[in-house]
Amino acid sequence: IMEVSFAISARTAKLIGMENFANAEGAIVELVKNAYDADAEICYVVVDIRKSSSESRIFIIDNGSGMSEDTIIKHWMTIGTDDKLVNAKTVGKQRVKSGAKGIGRFALNRLGHKAEMITFNNTDDGHFWTVDWRIFEEAKVLSDIKATLNDISRQDAAIWFEKYGLKSIPVYEKLKAGDFHGTVLCVSDLNDTWATENLENLQKNLENLIPEHMQSTFSLYLYNLKDLTWCGKIAPVEY
């Protein structure tokens, strides 16, 4: 008798992201939920829309607990973990977790071809994770696909912020001061063309996400790097 293992094709893994999120706005909502589940008090969604989708970027920045190297490898890089079932509440603020079960990182795949992540969890050095989802087109099985994971200093993270024009975001000053903890996600080479209508739909989706009674414990902001006067703090919809 021979025992054989199951294997998941890379194509199937890619479809998880594409099929679970009907549109790009829904994928961003899922990533904001992940920020809430990380005990963040503030989350910034920043869009940098250029002439072409390949030059455009979307950022989701939170001041939550951040991730250790061990957490990235055992949870972030594992599809469909049971962490949100086993640990239904967050460690720090005892929030009931709201994100989907282990598929949040595929929301990045839904948004664009390339994803970068910088995360600090109250240590001097953070971690820089990156993946190009186009590898899924070439690989046969999921285990063939590798993301890169390196240490990053706060100084280098601040330089990264400057490179992408994020100096105007308040988190930048905390990063330079050395007291920032949390996670910064950057998605580039976007899958969708973002017009004014898409940005307005995203704003409405985010307004419906945060109930009024949560405003004192979780603040959500939406910015357009091309026009920082647009939107700002998200106010919940009043019924």
Side-chain angles (χ1 to χ4, degrees):
I1 297 175
M2 180 174 62
E3 293 183 338
V4 293
S5 300
F6 285 97
I8 183 171
S9 71
R11 180 179 177 276
T12 299
K14 182 179 175 68
L15 287 174
I16 291 174
M18 303 305 286
E19 297 294 331
N20 272 278
F21 305 104
N23 51 45
E25 296 95 311
I28 291 175
V29 165
E30 180 63 28
L31 294 168
V32 171
K33 288 180 180 179
N34 280 359
Y36 177 81
D37 292 347
D39 274 339
E41 296 172 354
I42 300 173
C43 180
Y44 301 93
V45 177
V46 184
V47 295
D48 182 12
I49 305 304
R50 310 258 175 149
K51 289 183 179 179
S52 69
S53 297
S54 61
E55 298 174 303
S56 301
R57 293 182 181 87
I58 295 172
F59 303 87
I60 297 93
I61 305 167
D62 72 66
N63 69 341
S65 56
M67 284 185 275
S68 66
E69 180 179 294
D70 190 62
T71 300
I72 293 170
I73 294 170
K74 291 183 178 178
H75 297 286
W76 179 253
M77 290 290 292
T78 302
I79 300 171
T81 69
D82 62 357
D83 178 64
K84 292 186 179 182
L85 292 173
V86 175
N87 303 302
K89 291 187 177 181
T90 63
V91 175
K93 294 183 170 61
Q94 291 294 296
R95 292 173 174 172
V96 176
K97 294 180 181 179
S98 60
K101 308 301 184 286
I103 62 168
R105 76 279 292 136
F106 285 103
L108 300 173
N109 173 213
R110 173 61 185 83
L111 291 172
H113 292 304
K114 185 178 179 183
E116 297 170 278
M117 176 176 73
I118 292 174
T119 185
F120 288 89
N121 64 332
N122 281 326
T123 56
D124 289 336
D125 282 337
H127 303 288
F128 181 65
W129 174 93
T130 182
V131 67
D132 190 327
W133 300 110
R134 283 168 291 207
I135 301 172
F136 280 76
E137 306 293 346
E138 303 165 6
K140 291 185 177 180
V141 294
L142 192 59
S143 57
D144 290 339
I145 297 168
K146 310 293 181 187
T148 61
L149 179 61
N150 299 295
D151 291 341
I152 188 170
S153 68
R154 293 179 183 276
Q155 181 181 11
D156 285 341
I159 292 170
W160 186 92
F161 261 64
E162 287 189 56
K163 179 178 76 170
Y164 287 140
L166 297 171
K167 287 179 66 174
S168 54
I169 305 302
V171 168
Y172 174 74
E173 293 302 325
K174 285 187 170 291
L175 191 60
K176 281 210 315 179
D179 59 355
F180 170 73
H181 55 82
T183 298
V184 182
L185 295 169
C186 170
V187 186
S188 55
D189 200 351
L190 303 184
N191 291 321
D192 301 85
T193 300
W194 284 78
T196 301
E197 181 183 0
N198 302 93
L199 293 174
E200 290 174 350
N201 286 339
L202 174 59
Q203 181 180 354
K204 290 174 184 176
N205 272 279
L206 296 177
E207 287 172 346
N208 285 311
L209 181 63
I210 310 299
E212 192 169 359
H213 70 274
M214 283 170 49
Q215 283 288 296
S216 60
T217 57
F218 185 71
S219 298
L220 180 56
Y221 295 81
L222 175 60
Y223 289 115
N224 184 345
L225 269 187
K226 292 293 180 290
D227 179 12
L228 288 173
T229 63
W230 176 75
C231 202
K233 187 172 183 179
I234 295 292
V237 173
E238 296 183 7
Y239 294 98

